[in-house]
């Protein structure tokens, strides 16, 4: 395999090793040389874990890394999407009863350390990832986002503002929480998308004489709770009929 300048590379050259590892692991691996230190680093984005690439290097045989006097190093970069998804999962890993999870670039990297091919599992995650990246691009007037910029947005603005751009994605409890969280002292919604308790939401709608038909409908989906008084359910239904 030729080197970057077109000259043939010796057997066991890091570029050959990168190609071997790529075939073994399925990752797009690049061999990068630091002329100041003489260090070679295998670099790739998302894909395989560092442990997986190290395993692929071992599988290539000890002769593959011969001549790397300064040792071989590894660097797994995370794409914007992987950083945003990690930030979302960290932020939403709470039920709201304790401190907010810490979200920064280092925490996201640690979160994905042992996970291959990080990618959204649901349409909702895809929506949040896209919304975060779009907002960071817009805030900084550029088409790329640094990991800490994404994490800072999650820490400072929270996830609710991103989700609220697509109200059709909200559950009934989330629709009502978006209306009442601020006045009912529930910051876990803004930052972590933790909705208020169903019974509390029903009481809030029942006491809210300006609740719209959508809010009344949402509340009625939550009245199946065994401790919901029948009188409350009846009054909500009557108000919905009048608003309808």
């Amino acid at each position: 395999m030729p080197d970057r300048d077109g000259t043939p590379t010796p057997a066991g050259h890091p570029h050959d090793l990168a190609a071997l590892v790529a075939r073994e692991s399925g990752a797009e691996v690049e061999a990068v040389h630091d002329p100041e230190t003489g260090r070679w680093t295998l670099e790739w984005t998302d894909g395989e874990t560092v442990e997986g690439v190290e395993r692929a290097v071992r599988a290539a045989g000890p002769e593959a890394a011969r001549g790397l006097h300064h040792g071989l190093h590894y660097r797994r970069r995370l794409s914007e999407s992987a950083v945003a998804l990690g930030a979302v999962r960290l932020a939403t890993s709470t039920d709201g009863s304790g401190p907010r999870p810490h979200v920064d670039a280092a925490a996201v990297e640690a979160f994905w350390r042992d996970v291959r091919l990080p990618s959204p599992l649901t349409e909702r995650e895809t929506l949040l990832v896209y919304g975060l990246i779009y907002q960071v691009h817009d805030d900084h007037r550029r088409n790329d986002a640094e990991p800490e910029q994404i994490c800072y947005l999650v820490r400072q603005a929270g996830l609710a503002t991103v989700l609220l751009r697509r109200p059709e994605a909200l559950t009934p409890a989330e629709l009502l929480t978006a209306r009442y969280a601020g006045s009912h002292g529930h910051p876990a919604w803004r930052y972590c998308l933790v909705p208020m308790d169903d019974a509390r939401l029903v009481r809030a709608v029942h006491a809210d004489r300006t609740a719209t038909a959508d809010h009344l409908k949402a509340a009625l989906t939550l009245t199946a709770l065994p401790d919901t008084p029948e009188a409350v359910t009846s009054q909500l239904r009557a108000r919905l009929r009048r608003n309808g």
Side-chain angles (χ1 to χ4, degrees):
M1 180 177 180
D3 205 342
R4 297 294 176 83
D5 60 3
T7 60
T9 58
H13 191 280
H15 293 317
D16 290 330
L17 181 58
L20 285 170
V21 172
R23 288 196 295 271
E24 179 72 20
S25 68
E28 294 186 9
V29 182
E30 180 183 14
V32 179
H33 183 249
D34 183 342
E36 293 185 3
T37 63
R39 174 185 298 173
W40 282 95
T41 302
L42 297 185
E43 298 185 355
W44 67 100
T45 299
D46 297 342
E48 186 57 78
T49 64
V50 169
E51 182 181 358
V53 170
E54 289 177 332
R55 188 165 53 246
V57 169
R58 291 194 297 270
E63 70 282 356
R66 187 177 298 151
L68 300 181
H69 304 298
H70 297 274
L72 186 63
H73 297 261
Y74 303 87
R75 182 187 176 208
R76 184 197 194 193
R77 297 180 297 260
L78 293 176
S79 65
E80 292 178 352
S81 295
V83 172
L85 180 60
V88 167
R89 291 196 185 171
L90 283 170
T92 57
S93 64
T94 177
D95 62 3
S97 60
R100 283 164 48 195
H102 184 64
V103 179
D104 64 11
V108 169
E109 186 172 349
F111 182 81
W112 290 130
R113 182 171 295 129
D114 300 319
V115 181
R116 296 180 69 249
L117 303 170
S119 58
L121 296 177
T122 65
E123 290 185 11
R124 183 187 181 92
E125 284 191 336
T126 299
L127 181 157
L128 288 166
V129 166
Y130 173 82
L132 280 173
I133 294 172
Y134 177 89
Q135 187 62 56
V136 172
H137 287 183
D138 190 58
D139 288 347
H140 295 273
R141 299 295 189 269
R142 51 191 295 187
N143 290 325
D144 57 75
E146 297 294 330
E148 191 52 37
Q149 291 172 339
I150 296 171
C151 295
Y152 179 83
L153 180 63
V154 173
R155 290 197 306 271
Q156 297 300 313
L159 294 176
T161 55
V162 176
L163 189 60
L164 287 173
R165 298 194 193 108
R166 294 286 297 276
E168 71 275 10
L170 298 176
T171 67
E174 290 172 341
L175 176 68
L176 297 178
T177 301
R179 180 176 177 87
Y180 300 112
S183 59
H184 284 69
H186 192 77
W189 163 250
R190 173 182 174 182
Y191 296 104
C192 308
L193 298 182
V194 177
M196 292 167 55
D197 176 79
D198 286 357
R200 194 177 178 193
L201 289 170
V202 171
R203 292 195 297 271
V205 176
H206 184 249
D208 182 4
R209 307 320 296 176
T210 64
T212 68
D214 286 341
H215 298 128
L216 294 167
K217 290 176 185 177
L220 284 168
T221 69
L222 307 178
T223 56
L225 294 169
D227 57 347
T228 303
E230 180 57 35
V232 170
T233 302
S234 298
Q235 290 173 23
L236 291 174
R237 287 176 180 153
R239 287 171 59 187
L240 180 59
R241 287 194 294 270
R242 291 195 296 272
N243 285 1

